[in-house]
Amino acid sequence: MADMLLSYFREKQKYTQKEKVYPTQCPFCSVQCKMQLVEQTSVTRKSYRTVGLMNPTSKGRLCIKGLNAHQHTFHTDRITHPLLKKDGEFVEVSWDVALEYIAKNIHDIQNEHGKNAMSVYGSASITNEEAYLMGKFARVALQTKYIDYNGRLCMSAAASAGAQTFGMDRGLTNRLEEVMYAECIILAGTNIAECQPTIMPYFEQAKENGAFIIAIDPRETATTKLADLHLKLKPGTDAALANGLLKIIIDEKLMDESFIENRSNGYAEVARHLEDLSLDEISEKTGIVRKDLYRAAVTFAKKATGMILTARGVEQQTDGSLAVRNFLNILIATGKIGKQGCGYGAITGQSNGQGAREHGQKADQLPGYRSIENDEHRTYIADVWGVEEPDLPRKGVSAFEMIQKMDQGEIKGLFLLCSNPIVSNPNARFVKKALKKIDFLVAVDLFMSETAKLADVILPTTSYLEDEGTMTNLEGRVTLREAAKSAPGEARHDWQIICDVAKALGKEQFFSYSCAEEIFNELRLASKGGIADYSGITYNRLRGNEGILWPCPSEEHPGTGRLFEESFAHADGKALMVVVPNEPMIVKEKPCAEYPLYLTTGRVMAHYLTGVQTRKSSSLAARHFESFMEIHPETAKQMNITDQTLVRISSRRGSIVVRSKWTATIRKDTVFVPFHWDESQNVNRLVEDKLDPTCRMPGFKVSAVQVETLDS
Ligand SMILES: Nc1nc2c(c(=O)[nH]1)N[C@H]1C(S)=C(S)[C@@H](COP(=O)(O)OP(=O)(O)OC[C@H]3O[C@@H](n4cnc5c(=O)[nH]c(N)nc54)[C@H](O)[C@@H]3O)O[C@H]1N2
Ligand SMILES: Nc1nc2c(c(=O)[nH]1)N[C@H]1C(S)=C(S)[C@@H](COP(=O)(O)OP(=O)(O)OC[C@H]3O[C@@H](n4cnc5c(=O)[nH]c(N)nc54)[C@H](O)[C@@H]3O)O[C@H]1N2
Ligand code: SF4
Ligand SMILES: [Mo]
């Protein structure tokens, strides 16, 4: 009997699961939900589940992407060894061979064509430490002026608007908590329900508290469903719409005159400009009836508190920065900023869309939001880096303009880290052609993306589960994500890879760090006294899940929740209003006889950006395994397009084939295609490549297209 019992327990023990827990942060969007991956091991298999961890931003919630993030991380397609292209095929090589090959090619290019023949293209999906190192790598190791990053396609319009109007750019001017105190909320070109799902409860709570919500979007989305008033405007007309709202506020004398007088400049010019504009014309241009413009303007102005949030719908336009500034004009004219329940938010995109735009990856930027064209800033950073100020390059050009320079032959080599520009830049066929022209391409990635396929060398990197560092979320809250697992195969961290390449180039003395914290401590010093001041933030202070909102200028400083309570960040302390024309300087494509429809682009909940990661996740891919085109049934019928059939969409730049999806929720003159697929489903083959003249953001949200059925 005893023997039988013993063997029963032994048998049972064999099947009892062992549990391991990995605390981490989601790799995808800017909410940076804290979570825990739970690994259960039994004799037969390993299984995983993810649970949310309490933190002040997502409060323990997770969305479908966070819940399944580990699936791509453990995918067998992960690149785990350096790969070198030989006779058109990738072969595994050692790190030594790969690094030596990279150093030789970079030296050859720079010796023959000068330092600026090499370029660097970075990302906002990497840690602050890595973003900081990318800037230092370009300026100190390569000494090239050509560095920019994928955030140019993402946050640049809102960032330049914030910097120009307020004197500083932090995505949200207050904590998310304050959304619940806003009595009126304008959501302009933002689909929070699909893109930052775990912060939706803040808006639902605001609504329960009685807030009036206004959505501005050419489509009905899960977000616009929350709205009391949905302005379903023609794509690309936000600047004109904001002029309409502002004109009504002034006509109805609903401005906050004392705020305008004491806290801003530029109002008189704006008011004069608006006098000459006609509301009928604005109504015609935007497709929004005057009654709705009135309701929106008067409600927003009359409520005691209010917030405006914008995202890429407003910003990814050839007048994106001015369109945002016009929404900021409304905030200032009504005095709704700097106090509880009042403020602005550019809903940040990528995981580190905030932090990675502050520390030197931008063409014209040095750490701490310093300017590379400002002599004092140059001297300060040169001192921190231990180099001579005259040796620092000057400013370069934006992401898409670097690609144009590759096409023109001025840039010959590219170090690409954490981005897939052939799928994410406009006019994708041109981008691919330009990247094929260069002599040398290094890609640092987890997977073989469409861009990585063109590389001469691919370096394998670690994922969010394996890499440590700080990320700054959409609130401006700096968070610490510690490494939870060891690196697979021979993969190295992005920060190690940057240092290894720098060392191979003979710049070891500037790139010797033993851990991410050491880099962070240098970043703290480099950002000290700058606009984005991280000097008071330490890893120890970040341990636990609270995080600290910047600016944080000393270790005793609690961080800054609400900005602009007393003054703005310009030298005179005032915000700057600006005249915004209805029509952009860089004209957008309009529907015509040949290309009769507007095309706008964006996202779905289950996929992330160019889809390289989420298409590898079986649970996420199952939700949308191919791209699609939303079209209004009436428009579809006129064009003989049935539901769920293949269609060819063409623009002046190319064509793609996707499946039709009838929906009465979109405007009749507009089709929508997400951008998560590559090759023949890559919607950026259609998109125009004109840029906003201020911030160099491409106009991803407006192109003219024709659609034909392939169902014959
Ligand atoms: N599921 C998911 N979540 C994500 C991402 C993802 O890829 N997938 N990406 C992350 C990143 S990097 C970013 S930048 C954010 C993006 O977040 P969002 O900017 O919210 O996402 P989009 O879908 O690009 O665009 C938002 C809305 O703009 C609308 N729109 C299109 N044209 C116009 C226009 O002319 N005017 C106005 N007012 N609206 C217009 C679209 O219909 C869409 O509903 O999401 C982040 N979160
Ligand atoms: N038509 C259209 N185009 C758009 C947009 C749109 O709305 N419409 N939105 C734009 C926006 S907002 C954005 S942000 C861009 C994004 O565009 P991309 O920067 O091209 O986006 P990702 O798909 O995130 O590419 C990231 C690549 O890095 C890899 N990767 C992931 N994590 C890591 C890591 O930790 N380290 C390294 N080294 N590699 C990693 C992934 O496998 C992937 O290949 O696209 C823009 N393009
Ligand atoms: S995708 Fe964004 S909202 Fe979803 S779990 Fe990840 S960080 Fe949170
Ligand atoms: Mo983005």
Side-chain angles (χ1 to χ4, degrees):
M1 183 68 189
D3 274 2
M4 266 174 73
L5 259 182
L6 200 62
S7 99
Y8 168 78
F9 281 123
R10 275 209 190 112
E11 200 54 24
K12 189 163 180 227
Q13 202 177 24
K14 242 167 69 185
Y15 287 94
T16 305
Q17 301 198 331
K18 275 193 234 126
E19 221 177 64
K20 254 190 180 168
V21 171
Y22 305 102
T24 184
Q25 265 167 237
C26 174
F28 297 122
C29 88
S30 56
V31 186
Q32 280 305 284
C33 300
K34 293 260 181 193
M35 60 195 203
Q36 227 174 29
L37 181 68
V38 183
E39 181 184 78
Q40 287 182 321
T41 315
S42 69
V43 184
T44 45
R45 64 189 200 110
K46 264 189 185 158
S47 63
Y48 294 93
R49 75 194 150 83
T50 307
V51 288
L53 285 178
M54 200 55 197
N55 68 89
T57 309
S58 66
K59 309 225 187 260
R61 294 180 284 262
L62 289 178
C63 83
I64 184 82
K65 287 187 301 305
L67 286 170
N68 293 293
H70 58 281
Q71 291 185 351
H72 77 269
T73 316
F74 298 145
H75 199 282
T76 48
D77 285 354
R78 267 290 287 276
I79 299 172
T80 51
H81 296 269
L83 300 175
L84 192 92
K85 204 179 260 164
K86 281 188 182 151
D87 305 324
E89 298 286 324
F90 283 111
V91 291
E92 281 183 14
V93 293
S94 69
W95 275 99
D96 284 349
V97 169
L99 290 168
E100 204 178 299
Y101 186 76
I102 291 170
K104 181 183 177 320
N105 276 276
I106 292 178
H107 277 139
D108 288 352
I109 286 176
Q110 292 195 314
N111 286 341
E112 193 174 336
H113 305 284
K115 300 274 190 212
N116 292 325
M118 269 309 295
S119 61
V120 176
Y121 193 115
S123 177
S125 293
I126 53 179
T127 63
N128 286 316
E129 292 77 355
E130 290 156 353
Y132 167 80
L133 271 196
M134 285 289 275
K136 184 173 176 185
F137 174 75
R139 277 67 179 239
V140 175
L142 295 177
Q143 289 185 289
T144 177
K145 66 178 174 181
Y146 290 129
I147 170 167
D148 212 53
Y149 79 124
N150 66 7
R152 180 69 66 174
L153 318 175
C154 180
M155 299 312 301
S156 64
S160 78
Q164 290 171 345
T165 295
F166 302 140
M168 96 188 241
D169 151 47
R170 194 184 81 183
L172 271 160
T173 61
N174 25 13
R175 286 191 173 91
L176 265 169
E177 289 279 341
E178 292 200 27
V179 165
M180 301 190 297
Y181 301 104
E183 292 174 26
C184 185
I185 301 172
I186 296 182
L187 300 174
T190 171
N191 185 4
I192 294 169
E194 296 209 56
C195 295
Q196 295 82 13
T198 56
I199 64 167
M200 265 318 258
Y202 291 101
F203 297 89
E204 288 157 0
Q205 183 65 51
K207 184 141 179 153
E208 266 176 42
N209 296 348
F212 187 86
I213 298 185
I214 302 163
I216 306 175
D217 196 307
R219 305 184 303 140
E220 284 165 40
T221 64
T223 309
T224 65
K225 286 203 177 83
L226 194 68
D228 299 279
L229 177 63
H230 177 192
L231 307 178
K232 209 166 170 179
L233 85 174
K234 277 186 205 159
T237 61
D238 293 89
L241 189 146
N243 271 332
L245 301 181
L246 205 48
K247 184 174 170 70
I248 294 164
I249 289 168
I250 295 175
D251 285 353
E252 298 296 316
K253 306 221 170 348
L254 295 172
M255 311 82 82
D256 181 336
E257 280 172 9
S258 92
F259 192 92
I260 292 171
E261 170 71 24
N262 298 323
R263 306 250 348 234
S264 75
N265 291 314
Y267 173 77
E269 290 84 343
V270 172
R272 217 173 300 127
H273 165 74
L274 291 168
E275 270 172 25
D276 297 337
L277 299 184
S278 137
L279 281 175
D280 286 328
E281 253 174 54
I282 290 175
S283 172
E284 165 72 26
K285 205 176 273 297
T286 57
I288 305 298
V289 293
R290 279 183 66 156
K291 176 174 72 63
D292 284 348
L293 291 175
Y294 256 89
R295 193 157 172 232
V298 170
T299 311
F300 186 79
K302 280 194 171 167
K303 295 280 187 188
T305 55
M307 288 183 74
I308 299 181
L309 298 120
T310 67
R312 307 309 86 75
V314 174
E315 300 160 17
Q316 288 173 329
Q317 307 278 357
T318 57
D319 60 347
S321 57
L322 276 179
V324 174
R325 289 198 74 185
N326 223 9
F327 282 104
L328 301 184
N329 282 341
I330 296 175
L331 271 187
I332 293 160
T334 56
K336 287 193 168 58
I337 184 149
K339 49 192 185 206
Q340 173 156 290
C342 292
Y344 170 64
I347 303 289
T348 294
Q350 298 167 83
S351 50
N352 198 22
Q354 179 69 55
R357 73 180 191 254
E358 299 161 0
H359 298 296
Q361 278 192 104
K362 273 181 165 169
D364 58 355
Q365 189 194 57
L366 291 172
Y369 242 126
R370 289 187 162 85
S371 164
I372 203 159
E373 293 297 326
N374 176 309
D375 286 343
E376 246 175 73
H377 294 183
R378 290 170 64 83
T379 309
Y380 180 79
I381 295 297
D383 279 354
V384 174
W385 287 348
V387 298
E388 297 298 319
E389 180 276 318
D391 290 340
L392 286 181
R394 293 270 161 182
K395 72 172 178 194
V397 297
S398 73
F400 187 77
E401 291 168 299
M402 290 204 307
I403 294 168
Q404 289 173 321
K405 289 195 180 294
M406 294 176 200
D407 179 60
Q408 292 151 5
E410 193 181 327
I411 292 178
K412 303 277 185 195
L414 169 63
F415 181 82
L416 171 72
L417 185 137
C418 194
S419 183
N420 184 13
I422 293 177
V423 188
S424 49
N425 272 265
N427 198 1
R429 285 171 60 219
F430 164 80
V431 174
K432 192 163 189 172
K433 186 180 94 192
L435 283 169
K436 278 184 173 168
K437 275 190 184 175
I438 58 176
D439 296 338
F440 190 59
L441 170 59
V442 182
V444 186
D445 208 303
L446 306 165
F447 294 107
M448 187 69 74
S449 70
E450 192 176 344
T451 309
K453 281 183 194 154
L454 297 187
D456 298 283
V457 186
I458 305 179
L459 300 177
T461 190
T462 51
S463 76
Y464 73 103
L465 266 182
E466 301 127 15
D467 193 12
E468 65 175 342
T470 60
M471 313 286 278
T472 305
N473 79 5
L474 79 172
E475 292 184 289
R477 188 186 297 275
V478 184
T479 62
L480 175 62
R481 186 194 69 204
E482 299 195 73
K485 270 184 143 271
S486 53
E490 291 186 16
R492 294 183 183 175
H493 304 309
D494 286 321
W495 63 266
Q496 289 175 320
I497 295 173
I498 299 165
C499 294
D500 289 344
V501 176
K503 279 175 208 161
L505 291 168
K507 302 287 174 138
E508 178 163 8
Q509 70 179 113
F510 306 104
F511 293 87
S512 293
Y513 308 96
S514 61
C515 60
E517 187 171 1
E518 263 179 43
I519 307 168
F520 188 73
N521 286 336
E522 189 178 300
L523 180 160
R524 291 172 57 204
L525 179 62
S527 74
K528 194 178 170 66
I531 287 173
D533 191 331
Y534 282 42
S535 58
I537 305 176
T538 64
Y539 268 37
N540 258 344
R541 289 188 72 188
L542 292 179
R543 291 204 164 96
N545 287 338
E546 290 297 310
I548 297 172
L549 286 97
W550 69 261
C552 178
S554 73
E555 288 189 39
E556 293 69 46
H557 193 284
T560 312
R562 191 183 302 136
L563 301 171
F564 314 139
E565 289 184 293
E566 305 291 328
S567 67
F568 292 94
H570 285 305
D572 63 0
K574 293 191 175 180
L576 182 59
M577 293 179 75
V578 68
V579 170
V580 177
N582 279 339
E583 273 300 315
M585 224 163 80
I586 306 294
V587 179
K588 303 174 191 183
E589 266 185 351
K590 290 217 165 61
C592 59
E594 199 180 345
Y595 300 102
L597 294 170
Y598 287 109
L599 163 75
T600 193
T601 63
R603 298 155 162 82
V604 297
M605 163 108 80
H607 281 292
Y608 190 67
L609 301 179
T610 69
V612 177
Q613 291 156 277
T614 48
R615 282 185 278 117
K616 292 275 193 282
S617 154
S618 50
S619 302
L620 297 176
R623 300 194 164 224
H624 288 280
F625 64 90
E626 61 178 359
S627 187
F628 62 87
M629 172 193 74
E630 281 185 4
I631 186 167
H632 196 283
E634 275 182 36
T635 314
K637 281 179 205 156
Q638 280 167 17
M639 299 183 153
N640 288 326
I641 292 166
T642 44
D643 192 17
Q644 298 297 328
T645 49
L646 290 180
V647 291
R648 176 179 294 119
I649 317 175
S650 310
S651 76
R652 290 181 177 83
R653 292 151 296 276
S655 64
I656 62 169
V657 175
V658 297
R659 199 168 292 280
S660 64
K661 182 177 169 191
W662 282 19
T663 170
T665 54
I666 190 163
R667 287 179 61 91
K668 290 178 189 157
D669 56 6
T670 305
V671 294
F672 169 85
V673 181
F675 83 107
H676 311 298
W677 285 268
D678 57 7
E679 307 284 355
S680 61
Q681 296 184 74
N682 176 355
V683 72
N684 275 322
R685 289 190 182 182
L686 309 179
V687 171
E688 256 208 302
D689 59 12
K690 288 182 192 152
L691 306 178
D692 179 315
T694 312
C695 62
R696 308 283 162 180
M697 167 72 89
F700 288 117
K701 293 296 194 257
V702 183
S703 306
V705 294
Q706 53 161 279
V707 184
E708 59 192 308
T709 180
L710 294 178
D711 186 25
S712 52

